[in-house]
Amino acid sequence: MQLDAIQARRVLVDGVFVPATVTLEHGTITRIGPYDEAPEGMILRPADSAYVVPGIVDTHVHINEPGRTTWEGFHSATEAAALGGATTLIDMPLNSIPPTTTVQHLRLKQQAATGQLMVDTGFWGGAVPRNVADLEPLWDAGVFGFKCFLADSGVAEFPPLDPAQFTAALTEIARFGGLMIVHAEDARVLADAPSAPTRSYRDFVLSRPDEAETAAIRQVLDGARATGARVHILHLSSARALDLIAAAKAEGLPVTVETCPHYLSFSAETIPDAAPQFKCCPPIRDGGNREALWQALREGIIDCIVSDHSPATAEEKFRGDGDLQLAWGGVSGLQVGFSVLAQEARRRAIALADLSRWMSRNTADLVGLARKGRIEVGADADFAVYDTNAEFRIEATRLAHRNPISAYDGIRYGGRVTRSVVRGNAIDVERVDHTFGRQLERP
């Protein structure tokens, strides 16, 4: 359904919820007027209990197609996004086969996505050993930046960079003004940590200690300082790194940081043993650490929140019969992340406008999508409607994710996304059956 206007009691405009009529033409916002206007055409009028926010811009999603489409694919991932209020995704360069490390591989990815997208979708490139010469061609082909690992990625086709390779890649990316995004865990610290087979979540956390993150983040910040490259720290889980990051920002280093809903919602002490749906790397840490991450968001030390949706088949996720060292690491939360965090934010007296900024505008700004993540004239008509009266209980088997495994399974939340709009196209959250999405390239 192509909309001509949205008329709602609570529309997020310039950081404040106001009654407004938002007029749309050809998928673009053309006017924001008073609520009592009488627009013509197809009008969406949410319930008075609903909040209209910019569509979520999720810049960290593993879609896995081509190559591992039994784990996830463009159709299922973008449907889950649409159902959860995410109207823009940026796909990670792994765990697809081949990974997005050359222009040829990017074209294969784009071909696989054609005709399958429910929401707008772009692509990260990858920085791996021996592909420095591929980085600028990938940038020119429209990727939004380059992901690298400083420790084993978990898949053989996407190996990590050693310190010399990392510096070489950063130097090249700085030369053409690109962005390096880093899975910041240190290989040497991980190698020295205890990693015996275990069903104990506490033991698993000990195998991925805070120092693995802090050591890697020091390396990333030193690299930014030496080369001038823009760097972005992915899925920060350890609050022990916050002082390092705050000091780097005060110094003026070009660094940004993200965290994820699972780090802001769960705590290690409440996670049961032998429950691999909670396993991710870096791990979910204790409750005090969780609250420190929330405080860092308030203070601007952490810039944004993304899903790091990283699904796998039941065979991979439950490999080892509860041995957390063998199970695939990744939390599936693409469809529910905003609704989950809206409740978590309320519990902490954090405004929904702030949560929207962290999950929409700041992520859009990270990748240079100036028409996304905001409700203003000239922006894309992307919206999520969140209704505090629409309570729901998450059931993994009813999520659009290809594999019905989720750490959020069985939890009840007081509010959910009831409608998404992608460039003026209203999506019925009960039945997503249109491929409105476009493939995005870096502006």
Side-chain angles (χ1 to χ4, degrees), residues 1-6 24 27 42-45 82 87 118 381-383 385 418-434 436:
M1 179 174 64
Q2 182 73 42
L3 297 176
D4 297 293
I6 296 178
L24 321 175
M42 190 65 69
I43 316 301
L44 177 63
R45 294 184 175 90
T87 56
M118 311 288 180
D382 296 341
F383 307 94
V385 178
T418 57
R419 177 78 75 166
S420 298
V421 179
V422 178
R423 283 178 290 98
N425 297 289
I427 294 173
D428 185 343
V429 298
E430 301 301 327
R431 183 171 176 267
V432 180
D433 58 359
H434 296 287
F436 296 129

Side-chain angles (χ1 to χ4, degrees), residues 63-87:
I63 295 178
N64 303 335
E65 187 174 2
R68 288 193 174 93
T69 53
T70 55
W71 295 22
E72 194 68 282
F74 286 106
H75 189 280
S76 55
T78 59
E79 180 181 2
L83 292 169
T87 56

Side-chain angles (χ1 to χ4, degrees), residues 39 49 88 136 146 196 202-204 212-213 267 280 367 390 420 425:
S49 55
T88 303
E136 188 172 19
F146 306 91
R202 178 180 178 277
D203 288 348
F204 170 67
E213 288 189 79
S267 60
C280 53
V367 294
S420 298
N425 297 289

Side-chain angles (χ1 to χ4, degrees), residues 199-203 271-276 322 324:
R199 297 165 63 86
S200 163
Y201 190 79
R202 178 180 178 277
D203 288 348
I271 293 175
D273 292 341
L324 297 177

Side-chain angles (χ1 to χ4, degrees), residues 2 9 179 298 345 347 378:
Q2 182 73 42
R9 295 287 183 185
L179 170 66
R298 292 183 182 98
R347 289 172 177 166

